[in-house]
């Protein structure tokens, strides 16, 4: 009974604010405020407020919410672990089989060792503050490369 009275009062206050807003020629905002203010009365009329009041004071309902929370936590944990491992067990087995097949070419007797191409070693960076003129040498090289 108290919940219905509070919802009705909240709706009446919201409709009053909507009227004041419409008086200020802000019709779109007034319509939005009126829509929000009618929700509590609609919930009372459909019986949702009564159901919520019965649920709020029911130990069985709270136990059910606890069970749902545990189920959600288990689901979220298993999904997080599955993502970390890289998919389901079947997907991991299939990936392992494909990786073993592609590891060695079928006609190769020994792994081929082509000429190794090593990238040019970069010169060691000088400590900061030692040569303030060398701090921008990398940037200058990039700018020169692009013709700037």
């Amino acid at each position: 009974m108290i919940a219905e009275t509070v919802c009705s009062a909240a709706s009446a206050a919201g409709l009053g604010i909507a009227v004041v807003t419409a008086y200020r020629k802000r019709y779109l905002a007034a319509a939005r405020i009126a829509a929000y203010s009618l929700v509590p009365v609609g919930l009372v009329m459909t019986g949702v407020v009564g159901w919520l009041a019965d649920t709020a004071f029911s130990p069985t309902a709270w136990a059910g919410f606890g069970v749902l929370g545990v189920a959600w936590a288990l689901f979220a944990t298993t999904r997080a672990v599955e993502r970390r491992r890289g998919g389901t067990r079947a997907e991991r087995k299939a990936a392992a089989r494909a990786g073993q097949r592609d590891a060695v070419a079928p006609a190769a007797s020994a792994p081929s060792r082509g000429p190794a191409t090593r990238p040019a070693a970069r010169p060691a960076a000088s400590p900061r503050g030692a040569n303030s003129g060398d701090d921008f040498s990398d940037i200058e090289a990039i700018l020169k490369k692009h013709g700037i």
Side-chain angles (χ1 to χ4, degrees):
M1 185 77 176
I2 293 174
E4 290 85 0
T5 306
V6 169
C7 287
S8 299
S11 291
L15 289 174
I17 293 170
V19 168
V20 170
T21 306
Y23 179 75
R24 293 180 181 170
K25 309 265 190 237
R26 298 182 60 204
Y27 299 111
L28 187 63
R32 191 174 300 125
I33 292 169
Y36 281 125
S37 66
L38 290 175
V39 170
V41 169
L43 291 175
V44 168
M45 294 174 84
T46 58
V48 172
V49 172
W51 177 79
L52 284 175
D54 292 340
T55 303
F57 299 112
S58 170
T60 306
W62 283 106
F65 285 126
V67 169
L68 287 174
V70 168
W72 178 82
L74 286 172
F75 179 71
T77 303
T78 56
R79 291 290 295 173
V81 169
E82 186 177 77
R83 281 193 193 125
R84 187 172 214 169
R85 286 188 181 170
T88 62
R89 175 182 267 177
E91 291 171 351
R92 287 193 307 272
K93 283 186 178 180
R97 286 187 203 126
Q100 288 174 355
R101 276 188 241 130
D102 297 338
V104 178
S109 60
S112 61
R113 298 187 186 243
T117 57
R118 289 188 156 186
R122 293 194 307 171
S126 61
R128 278 211 154 149
N131 285 333
S132 62
D134 292 336
D135 288 343
F136 298 105
S137 61
D138 293 336
I139 297 171
E140 289 174 4
I142 291 170
L143 292 173
K144 286 180 183 177
K145 178 181 174 184
H146 291 286
I148 298 174

